[in-house]
Amino acid sequence: MSLAIKDDEVDIVIGALRSDLTTFMNEWRPMFSRFHLIIVKDPDLKEELKIPEGFNLDVYGKPDIDQVVGSSTSILFSGYSCRYFGYLVSRKKYIISVDDDCLPARDPKGFLVDAVAQHIRNLTNPATPFFFNTLYDPYAEGADFVRGYPFSLRGGVKCALSCGLWLNLADHDAPTQALKARQRNSRYVDAVMTVPAGSLIPISGINIAFEREAVGPALVPALKLAGEGKCRWETMEDIWSGLCVKVVCDHLGLGVKTGLPYIWRTDRGDPIASLKKEWEGVKLMEEVIPFFQSVRLPREATTVEECIVEVANAVKERLGSMDPVFARASKAMLDWIKLWQSVGSSSSRSSAV
């Protein structure tokens, strides 16, 4: 699949939670080797990283994070949240991020899936959030708009975020995975669709891509559970971040897509053990979702930074008294915007905070 972009417009950001990345990097070599990589080592990881040669990359560790953002703020970047430091220091137009326990998938015909190319295709083609096309992505090869689709909406809008899916180990929560311990996802659905405006989506950080200037500040490492661990089952940061992004995209008239590309997710962790840690997050979601469904941003909020500040203030006002985790999330969101304005962007200087 040919890309309608230049190689130097893409950063691939990898959060390293394991020290030996040899197999991961070699399996992804056909897709990654032409692009620049940013590898961010989890500040809690003590071992040295093992990375094979032959890649154009920069590696960041705890000293680098402390130097750029200060040791008091670097807690934002522990565990799976270390990848967000890569989002912060990147200067490329597009960012693609894949968890380090994922490998390239194969389609039903046995061909290797180029996840990078598919993500870029999703981002460079318009999204259609204001009217659902029953043939899914109308810009895909062999597809089009169906009868009755308004011609005035067929130009679509900018797609700011692409959310890929997973074969083998799907991104279930700990209760579901514990109940269905042997269940594996083998369904490969050859489709991409735009998530309708006004609909929320549990965005997984395992396999995503986004246009950095369009929504980068909205991908915020804010919600940290008290017992957060090193398995996806034990975290909620990407879910919270995804809800923020979707609300901002809806407000600013941007699109979010889900579907292709698939990656192969390897087994990792014990869902029974993780259940005790994630149960806090499962309960919190019952408060979180009604909040995001009802939050409305003012017309005066015209930048991503301003939108996130408005969401952070609403979190503090409406959720802050329910649980300390929300007050901390609100503060982390404001800290993140200050970081983005001072470190993350030379072109997005606003006085939102």
Side-chain angles (χ1 to χ4, degrees):
M1 184 187 299
S2 61
L3 301 182
I5 61 163
K6 299 177 181 178
D7 294 355
D8 60 4
E9 292 184 287
V10 176
D11 263 338
I12 296 173
V13 174
I14 300 161
L17 274 71
R18 57 177 71 186
S19 59
D20 191 349
L21 297 179
T22 305
T23 299
F24 172 83
M25 297 292 286
N26 283 331
E27 290 288 335
W28 283 103
R29 189 181 295 274
M31 283 71 91
F32 285 1
S33 58
R34 58 185 283 196
F35 301 105
H36 178 254
L37 279 67
I38 294 177
I39 299 178
V40 185
K41 180 182 176 183
D42 177 8
D44 300 330
L45 185 63
K46 305 304 181 185
E47 299 86 357
E48 291 296 318
L49 296 182
K50 297 179 181 179
I51 303 172
E53 296 182 352
F55 293 93
N56 173 22
L57 55 81
D58 289 306
V59 179
Y60 296 90
K62 189 177 188 303
D64 306 296
I65 296 174
D66 290 346
Q67 181 179 0
V68 172
V69 306
S71 57
S72 63
T73 312
S74 64
I75 191 172
L76 287 173
F77 304 107
S78 64
Y80 279 105
S81 295
C82 66
R83 73 179 61 214
Y84 293 82
F85 183 80
Y87 304 166
L88 186 70
V89 299
S90 172
R91 292 297 181 269
K92 300 297 178 64
K93 183 174 183 179
Y94 300 108
I95 290 179
I96 295 169
S97 189
V98 178
D99 277 4
D100 66 353
D101 59 353
C102 298
L103 302 175
R106 292 187 179 274
D107 66 20
K109 296 181 180 179
F111 293 110
L112 207 60
V113 174
D114 189 338
V116 175
Q118 182 63 55
H119 272 307
I120 295 303
R121 182 171 183 171
N122 292 347
L123 292 171
T124 53
N125 283 327
T128 54
F130 304 119
F131 202 90
F132 188 80
N133 192 57
T134 51
L135 278 181
Y136 308 118
D137 183 3
Y139 307 102
E141 183 177 354
D144 211 324
F145 293 96
V146 297
R147 181 170 57 89
Y149 201 103
F151 278 86
S152 60
L153 296 177
R154 294 190 182 194
V157 302
K158 178 195 290 287
C159 179
L161 179 68
S162 169
C163 309
L165 298 175
W166 339 268
L167 292 176
N168 190 42
L169 195 65
D171 191 18
H172 294 137
D173 52 33
T176 303
Q177 193 61 51
L179 184 64
K180 301 179 178 180
R182 297 183 179 180
Q183 181 169 302
R184 297 295 180 268
N185 182 39
S186 60
R187 297 180 65 233
Y188 186 100
V189 180
D190 188 7
V192 176
M193 66 182 72
T194 297
V195 183
S199 295
L200 296 177
I201 173 177
I203 292 173
S204 166
I206 293 172
N207 172 24
I208 64 169
F210 58 95
E211 185 172 328
R212 186 178 181 276
E213 286 298 318
V215 292
L219 283 111
V220 49
L223 190 74
K224 288 277 188 177
L225 301 178
E228 182 169 299
K230 303 298 183 182
C231 297
R232 270 293 178 195
W233 293 311
E234 301 168 359
T235 68
M236 294 294 292
E237 46 80 18
D238 54 343
I239 303 298
W240 179 273
S241 174
L243 294 170
C244 293
V245 172
K246 187 57 169 64
V247 166
V248 170
C249 284
D250 286 352
H251 178 73
L252 297 179
L254 301 171
V256 174
K257 292 181 182 178
T258 185
L260 302 177
Y262 282 85
I263 50 86
W264 182 273
R265 188 168 176 236
T266 57
D267 291 24
R268 182 175 179 178
D270 179 357
I272 301 296
S274 298
L275 181 58
K276 298 178 181 178
K277 296 181 180 181
E278 197 208 23
W279 185 245
E280 174 195 359
V282 173
K283 293 187 292 184
L284 288 176
M285 288 301 291
E286 302 305 317
E287 304 294 340
V288 167
I289 297 306
F291 166 78
F292 279 101
Q293 287 174 328
S294 63
V295 70
R296 296 293 181 270
L297 302 179
R299 187 173 300 176
E300 294 75 23
T302 58
T303 68
V304 180
E305 293 95 330
E306 290 169 346
C307 290
I308 291 300
V309 169
E310 292 290 340
V311 175
N313 290 336
V315 169
K316 181 179 180 180
E317 179 182 345
R318 294 170 51 184
L319 299 177
S321 61
M322 294 183 181
D323 193 295
V325 72
F326 294 126
R328 292 193 296 267
S330 173
K331 183 180 184 303
M333 292 169 75
L334 297 176
D335 288 346
W336 172 253
I337 293 302
K338 291 176 183 177
L339 274 176
W340 195 275
Q341 292 172 340
S342 62
V343 177
S345 177
S346 57
S347 61
S348 299
R349 308 289 185 182
S350 78
S351 57
V353 180

